[in-house]
Amino acid sequence: MKRSAITLITASMLVANATQANEKFVAFAVNHAHERGFHGCDAAIEDAFEFAGGDDLRVTSDWFKSMDGSLRITGTYGKKNDAVLVDAVLTKSGGKCYAYHTTIIGYNKSCNATLAELEAFEYVAESPDYIWTENAGGVDMLLTPVGDGCNATFRRSAVY
């Protein structure tokens, strides 16, 4: 399957924070979905967890049969002080899989420093406690201060 430009742009920004992918972690997330009877969106799950690595991977899910076969799979991975949270909502319809991914990464620097480091993102606006940014591929990033650091929340969608 051809991967979207949005996926590739998001992947390049996550590589800096996540450890190298561990294939068994990716397979674990896919198998988790299969154990719940959810099939047909493996590529979307693999995409959501393609950088999973570190010391551990934990996943949980909610399967919504009433929504024409939708699964929400949430996972965390990484190492202490370098962890990633992924929340993916997958819906099958018309032979396709629609995926909505939210990824949260904590940075040990200010939000302004984080934005300066993630050069692919441009400032859009500020609202109470959030800095809104986006990149050319359509990925939104919301930055919010947390203590001395910053949480970056990345939002994207794709069709598989």
Side-chain angles (χ1 to χ4, degrees):
M1 185 198 96
K2 185 176 178 183
R3 297 178 65 185
S4 70
I6 293 172
T7 300
L8 295 175
I9 291 168
T10 302
S12 65
M13 69 190 175
L14 294 177
V15 134
N17 238 25
T19 57
Q20 280 191 332
N22 184 329
E23 289 182 23
K24 74 178 183 179
F25 284 177
V26 177
F28 178 76
V30 171
N31 289 335
H32 178 84
H34 291 177
E35 288 172 2
R36 277 139 190 83
F38 188 82
H39 300 273
C41 287
D42 291 4
I45 297 168
E46 290 168 359
D47 185 26
F49 291 94
E50 86 177 294
F51 294 107
D55 297 330
D56 197 9
L57 170 69
R58 298 283 174 204
V59 297
T60 188
S61 60
D62 301 302
W63 187 26
F64 305 104
K65 290 182 184 179
S66 63
M67 292 179 60
D68 191 28
S70 292
L71 178 79
R72 178 180 183 180
I73 186 166
T74 303
T76 58
Y77 63 87
K79 299 179 181 180
K80 181 112 174 117
N81 297 317
D82 188 21
V84 176
L85 181 140
V86 174
D87 189 48
V89 176
L90 313 164
T91 302
K92 297 182 292 186
S93 179
K96 294 183 179 181
C97 180
Y98 298 87
Y100 308 92
H101 298 209
T102 300
T103 303
I104 301 173
I105 301 174
Y107 291 90
N108 293 326
K109 55 188 86 167
S110 73
C111 289
N112 286 333
T114 300
L115 180 55
E117 187 176 284
L118 298 172
E119 297 173 357
F121 288 86
E122 293 185 22
Y123 174 88
V124 174
E126 283 187 52
S127 64
D129 296 330
Y130 290 92
I131 299 171
W132 289 73
T133 70
E134 64 185 7
N135 70 13
V139 176
D140 297 318
M141 178 179 67
L142 290 86
L143 300 170
T144 188
V146 178
D148 292 335
C150 182
N151 275 352
T153 303
F154 301 92
R155 297 183 57 246
R156 65 187 171 102
S157 59
V159 179
Y160 299 84

PDB file of all heavy atoms in Angstrom, residues 26-52:
ATOM      1  N   VAL A  26       5.345  -3.787  17.382  1.00  0.00           N
ATOM      2  CA  VAL A  26       4.376  -3.511  16.316  1.00  0.00           C
ATOM      3  C   VAL A  26       3.455  -4.714  16.146  1.00  0.00           C
ATOM      4  O   VAL A  26       2.229  -4.573  16.087  1.00  0.00           O
ATOM      5  CB  VAL A  26       5.085  -3.154  14.998  1.00  0.00           C
ATOM      6  CG1 VAL A  26       4.083  -2.953  13.878  1.00  0.00           C
ATOM      7  CG2 VAL A  26       5.954  -1.905  15.173  1.00  0.00           C
ATOM      8  N   ALA A  27       4.033  -5.904  16.102  1.00  0.00           N
ATOM      9  CA  ALA A  27       3.239  -7.132  15.971  1.00  0.00           C
ATOM     10  C   ALA A  27       2.312  -7.308  17.171  1.00  0.00           C
ATOM     11  O   ALA A  27       1.170  -7.759  17.020  1.00  0.00           O
ATOM     12  CB  ALA A  27       4.163  -8.339  15.823  1.00  0.00           C
ATOM     13  N   PHE A  28       2.771  -6.931  18.352  1.00  0.00           N
ATOM     14  CA  PHE A  28       1.954  -7.020  19.562  1.00  0.00           C
ATOM     15  C   PHE A  28       0.691  -6.176  19.426  1.00  0.00           C
ATOM     16  O   PHE A  28      -0.416  -6.613  19.755  1.00  0.00           O
ATOM     17  CB  PHE A  28       2.774  -6.575  20.779  1.00  0.00           C
ATOM     18  CG  PHE A  28       2.015  -6.583  22.069  1.00  0.00           C
ATOM     19  CD1 PHE A  28       1.738  -7.766  22.733  1.00  0.00           C
ATOM     20  CD2 PHE A  28       1.580  -5.393  22.632  1.00  0.00           C
ATOM     21  CE1 PHE A  28       1.042  -7.773  23.936  1.00  0.00           C
ATOM     22  CE2 PHE A  28       0.884  -5.383  23.835  1.00  0.00           C
ATOM     23  CZ  PHE A  28       0.609  -6.574  24.485  1.00  0.00           C
ATOM     24  N   ALA A  29       0.823  -4.955  18.909  1.00  0.00           N
ATOM     25  CA  ALA A  29      -0.333  -4.071  18.727  1.00  0.00           C
ATOM     26  C   ALA A  29      -1.309  -4.650  17.703  1.00  0.00           C
ATOM     27  O   ALA A  29      -2.532  -4.642  17.924  1.00  0.00           O
ATOM     28  CB  ALA A  29       0.129  -2.675  18.307  1.00  0.00           C
ATOM     29  N   VAL A  30      -0.798  -5.172  16.597  1.00  0.00           N
ATOM     30  CA  VAL A  30      -1.655  -5.790  15.578  1.00  0.00           C
ATOM     31  C   VAL A  30      -2.357  -7.014  16.148  1.00  0.00           C
ATOM     32  O   VAL A  30      -3.573  -7.191  15.984  1.00  0.00           O
ATOM     33  CB  VAL A  30      -0.849  -6.150  14.312  1.00  0.00           C
ATOM     34  CG1 VAL A  30      -1.685  -6.991  13.344  1.00  0.00           C
ATOM     35  CG2 VAL A  30      -0.336  -4.887  13.626  1.00  0.00           C
ATOM     36  N   ASN A  31      -1.608  -7.858  16.858  1.00  0.00           N
ATOM     37  CA  ASN A  31      -2.197  -9.064  17.447  1.00  0.00           C
ATOM     38  C   ASN A  31      -3.254  -8.717  18.485  1.00  0.00           C
ATOM     39  O   ASN A  31      -4.252  -9.428  18.625  1.00  0.00           O
ATOM     40  CB  ASN A  31      -1.114  -9.956  18.052  1.00  0.00           C
ATOM     41  CG  ASN A  31      -0.270 -10.626  16.995  1.00  0.00           C
ATOM     42  OD1 ASN A  31      -0.717 -10.815  15.858  1.00  0.00           O
ATOM     43  ND2 ASN A  31       0.952 -10.968  17.337  1.00  0.00           N
ATOM     44  N   HIS A  32      -3.041  -7.632  19.212  1.00  0.00           N
ATOM     45  CA  HIS A  32      -4.025  -7.172  20.193  1.00  0.00           C
ATOM     46  C   HIS A  32      -5.370  -6.915  19.496  1.00  0.00           C
ATOM     47  O   HIS A  32      -6.422  -7.334  19.991  1.00  0.00           O
ATOM     48  CB  HIS A  32      -3.517  -5.896  20.885  1.00  0.00           C
ATOM     49  CG  HIS A  32      -4.468  -5.323  21.870  1.00  0.00           C
ATOM     50  ND1 HIS A  32      -4.542  -5.762  23.167  1.00  0.00           N
ATOM     51  CD2 HIS A  32      -5.403  -4.350  21.744  1.00  0.00           C
ATOM     52  CE1 HIS A  32      -5.466  -5.082  23.814  1.00  0.00           C
ATOM     53  NE2 HIS A  32      -6.004  -4.215  22.964  1.00  0.00           N
ATOM     54  N   ALA A  33      -5.337  -6.241  18.358  1.00  0.00           N
ATOM     55  CA  ALA A  33      -6.555  -5.973  17.599  1.00  0.00           C
ATOM     56  C   ALA A  33      -7.185  -7.277  17.108  1.00  0.00           C
ATOM     57  O   ALA A  33      -8.407  -7.471  17.207  1.00  0.00           O
ATOM     58  CB  ALA A  33      -6.258  -5.048  16.425  1.00  0.00           C
ATOM     59  N   HIS A  34      -6.370  -8.196  16.598  1.00  0.00           N
ATOM     60  CA  HIS A  34      -6.879  -9.469  16.087  1.00  0.00           C
ATOM     61  C   HIS A  34      -7.543 -10.285  17.194  1.00  0.00           C
ATOM     62  O   HIS A  34      -8.574 -10.924  16.963  1.00  0.00           O
ATOM     63  CB  HIS A  34      -5.759 -10.277  15.445  1.00  0.00           C
ATOM     64  CG  HIS A  34      -5.256  -9.687  14.172  1.00  0.00           C
ATOM     65  ND1 HIS A  34      -4.210 -10.240  13.469  1.00  0.00           N
ATOM     66  CD2 HIS A  34      -5.624  -8.586  13.467  1.00  0.00           C
ATOM     67  CE1 HIS A  34      -3.968  -9.516  12.386  1.00  0.00           C
ATOM     68  NE2 HIS A  34      -4.826  -8.498  12.380  1.00  0.00           N
ATOM     69  N   GLU A  35      -6.949 -10.275  18.393  1.00  0.00           N
ATOM     70  CA  GLU A  35      -7.525 -11.015  19.521  1.00  0.00           C
ATOM     71  C   GLU A  35      -8.909 -10.496  19.884  1.00  0.00           C
ATOM     72  O   GLU A  35      -9.713 -11.218  20.460  1.00  0.00           O
ATOM     73  CB  GLU A  35      -6.603 -10.940  20.740  1.00  0.00           C
ATOM     74  CG  GLU A  35      -5.342 -11.755  20.587  1.00  0.00           C
ATOM     75  CD  GLU A  35      -4.339 -11.512  21.711  1.00  0.00           C
ATOM     76  OE1 GLU A  35      -4.632 -10.736  22.649  1.00  0.00           O
ATOM     77  OE2 GLU A  35      -3.257 -12.109  21.638  1.00  0.00           O
ATOM     78  N   ARG A  36      -9.195  -9.263  19.560  1.00  0.00           N
ATOM     79  CA  ARG A  36     -10.508  -8.679  19.825  1.00  0.00           C
ATOM     80  C   ARG A  36     -11.436  -8.820  18.626  1.00  0.00           C
ATOM     81  O   ARG A  36     -12.511  -8.239  18.594  1.00  0.00           O
ATOM     82  CB  ARG A  36     -10.356  -7.206  20.219  1.00  0.00           C
ATOM     83  CG  ARG A  36     -10.016  -7.105  21.694  1.00  0.00           C
ATOM     84  CD  ARG A  36      -8.966  -6.072  21.991  1.00  0.00           C
ATOM     85  NE  ARG A  36      -8.514  -6.184  23.371  1.00  0.00           N
ATOM     86  CZ  ARG A  36      -7.597  -7.028  23.796  1.00  0.00           C
ATOM     87  NH1 ARG A  36      -7.021  -7.864  22.969  1.00  0.00           N
ATOM     88  NH2 ARG A  36      -7.223  -7.057  25.054  1.00  0.00           N
ATOM     89  N   GLY A  37     -10.992  -9.562  17.605  1.00  0.00           N
ATOM     90  CA  GLY A  37     -11.826  -9.803  16.436  1.00  0.00           C
ATOM     91  C   GLY A  37     -11.815  -8.679  15.421  1.00  0.00           C
ATOM     92  O   GLY A  37     -12.653  -8.643  14.527  1.00  0.00           O
ATOM     93  N   PHE A  38     -10.858  -7.771  15.537  1.00  0.00           N
ATOM     94  CA  PHE A  38     -10.785  -6.638  14.615  1.00  0.00           C
ATOM     95  C   PHE A  38      -9.713  -6.913  13.577  1.00  0.00           C
ATOM     96  O   PHE A  38      -8.531  -7.014  13.892  1.00  0.00           O
ATOM     97  CB  PHE A  38     -10.465  -5.348  15.388  1.00  0.00           C
ATOM     98  CG  PHE A  38     -10.572  -4.108  14.544  1.00  0.00           C
ATOM     99  CD1 PHE A  38     -11.808  -3.517  14.320  1.00  0.00           C
ATOM    100  CD2 PHE A  38      -9.450  -3.539  13.977  1.00  0.00           C
ATOM    101  CE1 PHE A  38     -11.924  -2.375  13.544  1.00  0.00           C
ATOM    102  CE2 PHE A  38      -9.547  -2.397  13.192  1.00  0.00           C
ATOM    103  CZ  PHE A  38     -10.783  -1.816  12.980  1.00  0.00           C
ATOM    104  N   HIS A  39     -10.123  -7.045  12.322  1.00  0.00           N
ATOM    105  CA  HIS A  39      -9.207  -7.346  11.218  1.00  0.00           C
ATOM    106  C   HIS A  39      -9.438  -6.345  10.089  1.00  0.00           C
ATOM    107  O   HIS A  39     -10.500  -5.754   9.985  1.00  0.00           O
ATOM    108  CB  HIS A  39      -9.439  -8.764  10.689  1.00  0.00           C
ATOM    109  CG  HIS A  39      -9.237  -9.824  11.720  1.00  0.00           C
ATOM    110  ND1 HIS A  39      -8.018 -10.380  11.974  1.00  0.00           N
ATOM    111  CD2 HIS A  39     -10.104 -10.402  12.584  1.00  0.00           C
ATOM    112  CE1 HIS A  39      -8.137 -11.275  12.933  1.00  0.00           C
ATOM    113  NE2 HIS A  39      -9.395 -11.302  13.333  1.00  0.00           N
ATOM    114  N   GLY A  40      -8.452  -6.170   9.232  1.00  0.00           N
ATOM    115  CA  GLY A  40      -8.630  -5.353   8.039  1.00  0.00           C
ATOM    116  C   GLY A  40      -7.991  -3.982   8.109  1.00  0.00           C
ATOM    117  O   GLY A  40      -8.079  -3.230   7.143  1.00  0.00           O
ATOM    118  N   CYS A  41      -7.365  -3.648   9.226  1.00  0.00           N
ATOM    119  CA  CYS A  41      -6.699  -2.346   9.354  1.00  0.00           C
ATOM    120  C   CYS A  41      -5.256  -2.506   9.842  1.00  0.00           C
ATOM    121  O   CYS A  41      -4.713  -1.617  10.506  1.00  0.00           O
ATOM    122  CB  CYS A  41      -7.467  -1.438  10.307  1.00  0.00           C
ATOM    123  SG  CYS A  41      -9.011  -0.797   9.653  1.00  0.00           S
ATOM    124  N   ASP A  42      -4.645  -3.633   9.507  1.00  0.00           N
ATOM    125  CA  ASP A  42      -3.285  -3.898   9.991  1.00  0.00           C
ATOM    126  C   ASP A  42      -2.303  -2.799   9.602  1.00  0.00           C
ATOM    127  O   ASP A  42      -1.471  -2.390  10.409  1.00  0.00           O
ATOM    128  CB  ASP A  42      -2.781  -5.246   9.476  1.00  0.00           C
ATOM    129  CG  ASP A  42      -3.510  -6.417  10.106  1.00  0.00           C
ATOM    130  OD1 ASP A  42      -4.455  -6.198  10.896  1.00  0.00           O
ATOM    131  OD2 ASP A  42      -3.137  -7.568   9.789  1.00  0.00           O
ATOM    132  N   ALA A  43      -2.397  -2.308   8.363  1.00  0.00           N
ATOM    133  CA  ALA A  43      -1.453  -1.275   7.910  1.00  0.00           C
ATOM    134  C   ALA A  43      -1.590  -0.008   8.745  1.00  0.00           C
ATOM    135  O   ALA A  43      -0.596   0.648   9.065  1.00  0.00           O
ATOM    136  CB  ALA A  43      -1.664  -0.961   6.427  1.00  0.00           C
ATOM    137  N   ALA A  44      -2.816   0.337   9.124  1.00  0.00           N
ATOM    138  CA  ALA A  44      -3.038   1.529   9.949  1.00  0.00           C
ATOM    139  C   ALA A  44      -2.459   1.347  11.345  1.00  0.00           C
ATOM    140  O   ALA A  44      -1.869   2.276  11.914  1.00  0.00           O
ATOM    141  CB  ALA A  44      -4.527   1.846  10.032  1.00  0.00           C
ATOM    142  N   ILE A  45      -2.603   0.161  11.911  1.00  0.00           N
ATOM    143  CA  ILE A  45      -2.046  -0.121  13.240  1.00  0.00           C
ATOM    144  C   ILE A  45      -0.524  -0.123  13.166  1.00  0.00           C
ATOM    145  O   ILE A  45       0.153   0.448  14.030  1.00  0.00           O
ATOM    146  CB  ILE A  45      -2.585  -1.458  13.788  1.00  0.00           C
ATOM    147  CG1 ILE A  45      -4.105  -1.381  13.970  1.00  0.00           C
ATOM    148  CG2 ILE A  45      -1.896  -1.823  15.105  1.00  0.00           C
ATOM    149  CD1 ILE A  45      -4.768  -2.712  14.229  1.00  0.00           C
ATOM    150  N   GLU A  46       0.028  -0.758  12.136  1.00  0.00           N
ATOM    151  CA  GLU A  46       1.479  -0.772  11.953  1.00  0.00           C
ATOM    152  C   GLU A  46       2.022   0.653  11.819  1.00  0.00           C
ATOM    153  O   GLU A  46       3.065   0.983  12.372  1.00  0.00           O
ATOM    154  CB  GLU A  46       1.857  -1.608  10.731  1.00  0.00           C
ATOM    155  CG  GLU A  46       1.616  -3.087  10.934  1.00  0.00           C
ATOM    156  CD  GLU A  46       1.703  -3.899   9.650  1.00  0.00           C
ATOM    157  OE1 GLU A  46       1.945  -3.321   8.561  1.00  0.00           O
ATOM    158  OE2 GLU A  46       1.507  -5.128   9.727  1.00  0.00           O
ATOM    159  N   ASP A  47       1.286   1.490  11.097  1.00  0.00           N
ATOM    160  CA  ASP A  47       1.692   2.882  10.928  1.00  0.00           C
ATOM    161  C   ASP A  47       1.673   3.623  12.267  1.00  0.00           C
ATOM    162  O   ASP A  47       2.600   4.352  12.602  1.00  0.00           O
ATOM    163  CB  ASP A  47       0.774   3.564   9.915  1.00  0.00           C
ATOM    164  CG  ASP A  47       1.188   4.984   9.595  1.00  0.00           C
ATOM    165  OD1 ASP A  47       2.381   5.318   9.736  1.00  0.00           O
ATOM    166  OD2 ASP A  47       0.320   5.772   9.180  1.00  0.00           O
ATOM    167  N   ALA A  48       0.622   3.421  13.043  1.00  0.00           N
ATOM    168  CA  ALA A  48       0.491   4.108  14.332  1.00  0.00           C
ATOM    169  C   ALA A  48       1.606   3.723  15.297  1.00  0.00           C
ATOM    170  O   ALA A  48       2.072   4.553  16.079  1.00  0.00           O
ATOM    171  CB  ALA A  48      -0.869   3.804  14.959  1.00  0.00           C
ATOM    172  N   PHE A  49       2.063   2.477  15.232  1.00  0.00           N
ATOM    173  CA  PHE A  49       3.058   1.980  16.185  1.00  0.00           C
ATOM    174  C   PHE A  49       4.409   1.696  15.540  1.00  0.00           C
ATOM    175  O   PHE A  49       5.241   1.015  16.127  1.00  0.00           O
ATOM    176  CB  PHE A  49       2.527   0.733  16.890  1.00  0.00           C
ATOM    177  CG  PHE A  49       1.395   1.043  17.828  1.00  0.00           C
ATOM    178  CD1 PHE A  49       0.085   0.945  17.413  1.00  0.00           C
ATOM    179  CD2 PHE A  49       1.657   1.474  19.123  1.00  0.00           C
ATOM    180  CE1 PHE A  49      -0.961   1.263  18.264  1.00  0.00           C
ATOM    181  CE2 PHE A  49       0.629   1.783  19.987  1.00  0.00           C
ATOM    182  CZ  PHE A  49      -0.691   1.682  19.558  1.00  0.00           C
ATOM    183  N   GLU A  50       4.665   2.256  14.351  1.00  0.00           N
ATOM    184  CA  GLU A  50       5.883   1.898  13.631  1.00  0.00           C
ATOM    185  C   GLU A  50       7.168   2.283  14.357  1.00  0.00           C
ATOM    186  O   GLU A  50       8.208   1.713  14.105  1.00  0.00           O
ATOM    187  CB  GLU A  50       5.859   2.447  12.207  1.00  0.00           C
ATOM    188  CG  GLU A  50       6.349   3.845  12.033  1.00  0.00           C
ATOM    189  CD  GLU A  50       6.359   4.253  10.572  1.00  0.00           C
ATOM    190  OE1 GLU A  50       7.133   3.673   9.788  1.00  0.00           O
ATOM    191  OE2 GLU A  50       5.590   5.144  10.222  1.00  0.00           O
ATOM    192  N   PHE A  51       7.098   3.226  15.281  1.00  0.00           N
ATOM    193  CA  PHE A  51       8.297   3.607  16.027  1.00  0.00           C
ATOM    194  C   PHE A  51       8.308   3.047  17.438  1.00  0.00           C
ATOM    195  O   PHE A  51       9.146   3.437  18.248  1.00  0.00           O
ATOM    196  CB  PHE A  51       8.449   5.127  16.054  1.00  0.00           C
ATOM    197  CG  PHE A  51       8.710   5.700  14.697  1.00  0.00           C
ATOM    198  CD1 PHE A  51       7.718   6.395  14.026  1.00  0.00           C
ATOM    199  CD2 PHE A  51       9.927   5.498  14.071  1.00  0.00           C
ATOM    200  CE1 PHE A  51       7.947   6.908  12.765  1.00  0.00           C
ATOM    201  CE2 PHE A  51      10.168   5.999  12.806  1.00  0.00           C
ATOM    202  CZ  PHE A  51       9.174   6.707  12.153  1.00  0.00           C
ATOM    203  N   ALA A  52       7.376   2.177  17.749  1.00  0.00           N
ATOM    204  CA  ALA A  52       7.299   1.629  19.106  1.00  0.00           C
ATOM    205  C   ALA A  52       8.601   0.935  19.459  1.00  0.00           C
ATOM    206  O   ALA A  52       9.130   0.136  18.707  1.00  0.00           O
ATOM    207  CB  ALA A  52       6.122   0.666  19.215  1.00  0.00           C
TER     208      ALA A  52
END
